[in-house]
Amino acid sequence: MMKILALLSILCIVQVVCSLEISEIMYDPEGNDNMQEFIEISGTDDLANATLQVGERNATLALAKIVSGNRSLVVEEGFPVEMMNCSVYVAGATIAGGLKNTGGIVRIMTGERNEDVVEYADDLADGNGFSLERAQNGSWQESSVKGGSPCQENSDGVKVLEYDLSLHIIAPEIMFTSIEYSSLFQIKNEEYVSGESSQVQALVEYVIRENETVLVNGSFWKNVSQSVTSNTGVFIPDRVMNVTICGRIKETSLLEDQENEFVCRESAVLDVGGRGCSISLSLDLEKDVVEPGEAVGFYNRVNDSAMPFVVQYSIKEVGGGEVRNSTTENKNKKTFTPPDKGNLAAYVLENRLVSVGCNNSNSVTSDRKILLVVGSDRTEDTIQILDPGLGTDKIANIGEVIKPRIKVIRGDNDKRTVSVYVQGEKRMSEPVTISIDEKYAKVTVTVPLLLKGDCKVKEGIYTLVAEGLDNIAKEQILVKSKGCVQESVKQDSFQGQAGEERESILSFYTLTKKPSIREPVNVYARVVGKNLSLVLKNSVGGREVFREERARGDVLVPEKLAFAVRLGVGKNLIALETTSEGVVNSKSIMVEVNASEQKNEIPEVRLGASADVMRYSLPEVSGLAVQESTVVYEGSKVKYLNILLVMVVCLALFAAWWRFR
């Protein structure tokens, strides 16, 4: 008897500890859904005793890899399992018939017990490359990064767009045996702006498979400004076959773990056999004498491009080091811009035919050219304001950003920085610093300056200043106060360009079925506007019980926000107020909490009972801006009541065992 009671106590404790939760769903990947959908389960690294259900169908799970930890991932066939750092289960070509792009229900069970149930719809992560992630407060949100965060901690839901890196496969769809392919991927900064974007380092992991056999498992770091394709992976096929190439951006230097985008594609490898050919290579320059800072184009000329080839080319400074070494598999134009070093300089450009898909009998497989750079012998420092960046109306408005273009030449000067700002009786903007690290360098930069102030700032003539390197440049600009209103005046819209009226609050609603003072209620808003700030307040009987403030900056594309609002007993008036370019916009909804219902809020729960999926809809409130919705991003929480009751039973069993031992 005592042994049975002790065993039951242990089993009860195990049940409490091993509760499972659906933490991430990729139901509609960007582009083709094949090999990209997944479901992440938190709470275990072993799903042997669990059942995953999508809709009404159970998924058949085959263990692909086991990794000790607290997560498991269910994926489709062809998913890059090798790159995952948690236990992975393959559910076939689709997961239980496929995760529907229009919405569905996902359930995880152990035996007959529901561990977690999630109902999703298609208004988040709907084919835009992001996944659905469960936040720490239990609500659902889009992932911060494309591709989601499988086998990792979920993100904070805040998207950072300054360095939006994307990964593309550029390896040929038709390859040939014994050819070295070293440009497999393209990394592209989708938010690149010439003269403004900095370089970012990216770590890419890639896998090449023939069916389930891994042929190549590699990684590489690349510095990315706008785009990079050279030396992005290596593959030398040795036989005729079909291969699948997959890659992902695992890490970046400025936004660590901000891109985990997966890309996969198939290629075919053919054998060219012993076919003979006569392929020659030459190097052509558009100019052989240029000025410092002047771009020169050059071409790797292959007389017959019908066969696959790889050309290596390099640029070396005479008396200096190598400035470029790369490979190419095409005849496209390449460019080189020599820096201004203040004196005569010479560069050697060389190329050679590394490989070709045939038995080549031609011996002319390399070439060399000399490029002369006529130095400017400039030693003076120069600062110029090329354009104040005011737009077509030639007016700078308080609270807006102007983008002046500044040209700086650093001569033989040990100083290296230039500050740009707007000056009146006091500074109207924070100074932005331009740093020129090399002597005799010439740069042209677009500098964003935010004009600070409010409606009390005096309109008039201010001075745009660029100073440094013992030089100063000034230009007068007209500053006005645009869109100012009295503090007591509220408007429901802000003015767009050319007088176009736009709503800054596009929607404001909640999905909660049964509000409670015990838990915050989730409230959602979709907003847009320039220099946007938000205040969310909840008042009960005229008394403010909750307040949250956020500053979002420029939100040029509609953005969905979520708030966790604390409620009080009675009628809760939840109001959202936004300020965009000095114009105030507000919307509100009412949520009523019944005092009598709060005393008996916990429902009756039976051990082993299945938790129903929560389906919420918000009733219409007369006179208020309330949007109806049936979309739910909350799983069943009845399992925590099960755990509480199980713990009580465990304590009773332990007391009985102690009494009879």
Side-chain angles (χ1 to χ4, degrees), residues 157-189:
V158 179
K159 296 180 176 61
V160 183
L161 300 178
E162 182 181 359
Y163 299 98
D164 183 11
L165 298 185
S166 61
L167 186 65
H168 310 272
I169 297 177
I170 60 172
E173 294 187 21
I174 302 297
M175 297 180 167
F176 296 90
T177 57
S178 303
I179 301 296
E180 179 180 307
Y181 296 93
S182 59
S183 296
L184 304 181
F185 299 93
Q186 178 193 38
I187 312 173
K188 186 177 181 182
N189 184 0

Side-chain angles (χ1 to χ4, degrees), residues 60-338:
T60 302
L61 305 182
L63 180 63
K65 66 184 297 186
I66 186 77
V67 177
S68 178
N70 198 40
R71 288 185 180 84
S72 295
L73 195 69
V74 179
V75 302
E76 300 175 322
E77 289 178 355
F79 194 91
V81 174
E82 299 83 2
M83 299 180 183
M84 298 297 100
N85 190 30
C86 70
S87 297
V88 181
Y89 291 81
V90 178
T94 60
I95 302 176
L99 294 166
K100 295 186 181 300
N101 294 346
T102 55
I105 298 176
V106 180
R107 188 188 310 265
I108 185 73
M109 299 180 292
T110 53
E112 297 299 323
R113 177 173 179 265
N114 275 351
E115 293 285 350
D116 197 11
V117 183
V118 173
E119 182 179 7
Y120 67 91
D122 61 353
D123 67 338
L124 289 178
D126 54 341
N128 59 5
F130 298 97
S131 69
L132 282 176
E133 290 183 338
R134 189 192 291 270
Q136 291 185 354
N137 63 3
S139 64
W140 287 84
Q141 63 190 15
E142 285 189 351
S143 59
S144 294
V145 298
K146 285 193 174 183
S149 56
C151 294
Q152 302 177 47
E153 291 288 342
N154 285 354
S155 60
D156 57 9
V158 179
K159 296 180 176 61
V160 183
L161 300 178
E162 182 181 359
Y163 299 98
D164 183 11
L165 298 185
S166 61
L167 186 65
H168 310 272
I169 297 177
I170 60 172
E173 294 187 21
I174 302 297
M175 297 180 167
F176 296 90
T177 57
S178 303
I179 301 296
E180 179 180 307
Y181 296 93
S182 59
S183 296
L184 304 181
F185 299 93
Q186 178 193 38
I187 312 173
K188 186 177 181 182
N189 184 0
E190 302 290 351
E191 300 295 323
Y192 176 80
V193 178
S194 179
E196 297 183 18
S197 298
S198 302
Q199 270 198 347
V200 56
Q201 286 187 320
L203 172 62
V204 174
E205 292 184 339
Y206 67 99
V207 173
I208 302 176
R209 300 193 309 268
E210 179 188 17
N211 297 323
E212 298 303 318
T213 302
V214 176
L215 305 176
V216 179
N217 191 345
S219 63
F220 56 86
W221 280 97
K222 297 299 291 186
N223 292 322
V224 184
S225 293
Q226 180 178 8
S227 175
V228 63
T229 58
S230 62
N231 298 320
T232 52
V234 177
F235 179 45
I236 307 175
D238 59 356
R239 63 184 182 278
V240 175
M241 56 184 161
N242 292 320
V243 297
T244 301
I245 303 173
C246 295
R248 70 165 178 170
I249 300 176
K250 182 182 180 183
E251 185 178 341
T252 63
S253 58
L254 296 182
L255 303 174
E256 185 173 354
D257 292 330
Q258 283 295 307
E259 266 306 348
N260 287 297
E261 181 178 334
F262 294 99
V263 289
C264 287
R265 205 200 63 204
E266 293 184 349
S267 292
V269 179
L270 305 180
D271 187 3
V272 297
R275 177 181 173 183
C277 61
S278 178
I279 296 180
S280 63
L281 176 68
S282 61
L283 180 63
D284 288 345
L285 293 178
E286 291 183 337
K287 297 180 180 180
D288 53 14
V289 178
V290 296
E291 295 181 357
E294 180 183 0
V296 58
F298 62 95
Y299 298 86
N300 296 291
R301 304 289 191 186
V302 178
N303 67 332
D304 181 4
S305 58
M307 300 301 296
F309 63 87
V310 177
V311 172
Q312 182 182 29
Y313 63 94
S314 63
I315 303 173
K316 299 177 182 178
E317 182 182 6
V318 176
E322 187 174 70
V323 297
R324 186 183 301 180
N325 192 326
S326 187
T327 60
T328 182
E329 297 165 17
N330 58 64
K331 299 191 296 183
N332 297 341
K333 176 182 175 180
K334 310 294 187 292
T335 59
F336 170 59
T337 304

Side-chain angles (χ1 to χ4, degrees), residues 47-62:
L47 297 179
N49 298 319
T51 301
L52 180 68
Q53 189 177 80
V54 177
E56 300 298 326
R57 297 181 60 178
N58 292 342
T60 302
L61 305 182

Side-chain angles (χ1 to χ4, degrees), residues 425-484:
E425 295 180 358
K426 59 181 181 179
R427 284 193 178 178
M428 286 286 295
S429 71
E430 294 295 333
V432 175
T433 300
I434 305 170
S435 181
I436 304 96
D437 294 331
E438 295 185 4
K439 291 185 177 181
Y440 311 111
K442 177 171 60 178
V443 298
T444 299
V445 182
T446 299
V447 181
L449 298 176
L450 174 63
L451 300 184
K452 301 184 297 183
D454 51 30
C455 295
K456 299 178 182 179
V457 175
K458 184 178 179 181
E459 296 182 345
I461 302 298
Y462 288 76
T463 304
L464 174 63
V465 180
E467 63 175 338
L469 305 178
D470 301 320
N471 278 267
I472 188 168
K474 298 180 179 181
E475 184 166 333
Q476 291 185 331
I477 60 175
L478 176 61
V479 176
K480 287 191 174 183
S481 301
K482 177 183 177 183
C484 287

Side-chain angles (χ1 to χ4, degrees), residues 504-509 524-527 560 576 587 625 627:
S504 59
I505 305 177
L506 304 181
S507 62
F508 184 47
Y509 59 98
Y524 304 92
R526 189 174 291 274
V527 298
K560 185 172 182 179
L576 176 65
K587 284 189 179 181
Q627 289 195 356

